[in-house]
Amino acid sequence: MKKTAKNPPLKLLGKSEARFPSLPDQKTLEVFPNRSAGRTYWITFECSEFTSLCPVTGQPDFATLRIRYVPEALCVETKSLKFYLSSYRSTPSFGEDVANRIMDDLVAVLKPRELHVRADFSPRGGIGLSIDAVFPDGVDPLE
């Protein structure tokens, strides 16, 4: 595929780069033009192997992430999203902070119509944790 004004250069796609960033940074998220702008459709990503670090114990927290959004002008490139999410492996954060930061970073980069991040963290001490971070405010994530 030729690089044109319609196809911005993607730095990760097609490269065998295997070093993940050490910290989450929205600059890792690469985008491309939505060729179906104006149409309402959902894009969904499932990440069943998400990990972050508990900020108190330093132990890994395991979660399944589900990211859904209605794009406007831009879509996120999948490999860059994988690299971005992998950077949380070495980032001490509470689950609530993780879900909201991912939502904030994606909204800042994509400017979507709607975006929903669902984080289902594996139980610790018999208690599981689910977080729904939603853009824009007021949208019911369970509808």
Side-chain angles (χ1 to χ4, degrees):
M1 180 186 301
K2 288 197 288 185
K3 295 178 185 176
T4 67
K6 291 183 179 182
N7 296 315
L10 298 173
K11 297 174 188 154
L12 294 173
L13 189 62
K15 306 260 188 314
S16 61
E17 176 68 39
R19 285 181 287 156
F20 295 115
S22 59
L23 294 171
D25 185 351
Q26 64 180 237
K27 289 183 275 189
T28 304
L29 295 166
E30 296 183 345
V31 297
F32 60 91
N34 176 13
R35 291 193 173 84
S36 297
R39 177 179 292 161
T40 300
Y41 67 100
W42 288 90
I43 296 172
T44 304
F45 296 104
E46 299 272 346
C47 178
S48 60
E49 298 176 349
F50 179 85
T51 56
S52 60
L53 294 178
C54 173
V56 176
T57 66
Q59 295 294 311
D61 285 326
F62 300 92
T64 297
L65 293 183
R66 187 170 194 226
I67 301 167
R68 297 184 71 225
Y69 71 100
V70 177
E72 192 64 63
L74 300 171
C75 298
V76 69
E77 192 279 316
T78 308
K79 186 172 183 180
S80 73
L81 180 62
K82 178 175 86 170
F83 273 56
Y84 169 81
L85 294 175
S86 294
S87 68
Y88 281 90
R89 290 179 181 169
S90 58
T91 304
S93 298
F94 289 108
E96 296 84 350
D97 295 333
V98 167
N100 281 285
R101 166 118 190 239
I102 291 169
M103 182 197 68
D104 289 342
D105 286 350
L106 285 168
V107 167
V109 170
L110 294 172
K111 298 172 183 48
R113 288 189 210 171
E114 292 184 38
L115 190 135
H116 176 200
V117 175
R118 169 113 190 176
D120 290 315
F121 282 86
S122 298
R124 281 192 168 223
I127 299 175
L129 173 67
S130 293
I131 300 108
D132 290 285
V134 181
F135 169 85
D137 284 340
V139 173
D140 184 351
L142 302 178
E143 285 188 346

